[in-house]
Amino acid sequence: MTRTAPPRPALFLDRDGVLNEDPGYVHRWEDFHWIPGAREAVAAFNRAGWWVFVVTNQSGVGRGYYAEDDVVALHAKMSESLAEIEARIDAFYYCPQHPDAALDAYRHPDPPDRKPNPGMILRALNEWPVDLSRSIMIGDKPSDLEAARRAGIRGLLFPGDDLMAFLQPELKPA
């Protein structure tokens, strides 16, 4: 993506618990279930001209429960499902590191990309022309909101239920 394009607001979305139901360590498409209104919310923000990014901790990789290839494959299936309604995620960012990772390659005492650290959001801000002042992060945990605060964007705590209904007041043209 070119940084010379005009800045647009970005919708940053946590994955598990915001876009999909979170029974724990979802990494297979057959275990993935969209939250009501999630696909419609992505499509609505796409139509309004916003960037839409996923920023998700995926410690299951570091814990040895599944591989990074599984995360990438699941995100590809999510993209296919969104394309069915002419919606898209502009970029997926995930953090497989964890302080207590079972696998040495993923063990880090304080991974910069792992929320509440803002690394994934900061990477997106560096790679895409984002209007920081109009961007928002939607998460289901305080760590999501802390990552947003540290990155300088507004964070909203999603209480569950219908994501489109929750985001409707935020939907403004880019």
Side-chain angles (χ1 to χ4, degrees):
M1 171 51 51
T2 175
R3 295 269 314 145
T4 60
R8 299 178 355 201
L11 177 65
F12 291 89
L13 298 164
D14 179 41
R15 194 187 82 187
D16 302 324
V18 173
L19 289 174
N20 60 281
E21 296 172 6
D22 185 12
Y25 302 106
V26 175
H27 63 281
R28 299 178 323 153
W29 183 244
E30 50 269 24
D31 299 327
F32 183 95
H33 303 286
W34 290 103
I35 290 277
R39 292 190 331 149
E40 294 77 9
V42 171
F45 278 82
N46 291 156
R47 286 191 303 273
W50 289 53
W51 303 116
V52 179
F53 304 122
V54 169
V55 290
T56 178
N57 289 343
Q58 290 297 311
S59 69
V61 174
R63 295 172 193 270
Y65 300 159
Y66 50 91
E68 283 191 67
D69 287 348
D70 296 317
V71 176
V72 172
L74 180 61
H75 292 167
K77 294 297 275 183
M78 290 172 64
S79 293
E80 289 173 21
S81 177
L82 287 165
E84 293 170 2
I85 63 163
E86 298 181 16
R88 73 182 180 290
I89 300 295
D90 292 294
F92 289 89
Y93 297 89
Y94 67 94
C95 179
Q97 289 82 23
H98 189 275
D100 301 322
L103 304 173
D104 290 342
Y106 296 108
R107 191 174 311 117
H108 187 287
D110 188 23
D113 282 349
R114 182 172 174 75
K115 297 175 285 178
N117 290 327
M120 290 183 284
I121 298 171
L122 295 176
R123 283 183 25 225
L125 295 175
N126 186 54
E127 295 171 4
W128 298 79
V130 172
D131 179 346
L132 191 65
S133 67
R134 295 178 55 208
S135 297
I136 53 177
M137 167 74 197
I138 311 302
D140 65 327
K141 295 182 178 67
S143 59
D144 298 316
L145 304 188
E146 179 61 17
R149 187 192 68 73
R150 292 181 187 181
I153 62 173
R154 190 164 54 105
L156 298 174
L157 187 64
F158 177 58
D161 202 22
D162 187 306
L163 186 61
M164 185 65 224
F166 176 76
L167 286 175
Q168 190 64 49
E170 304 298 328
L171 188 57
K172 298 167 181 73

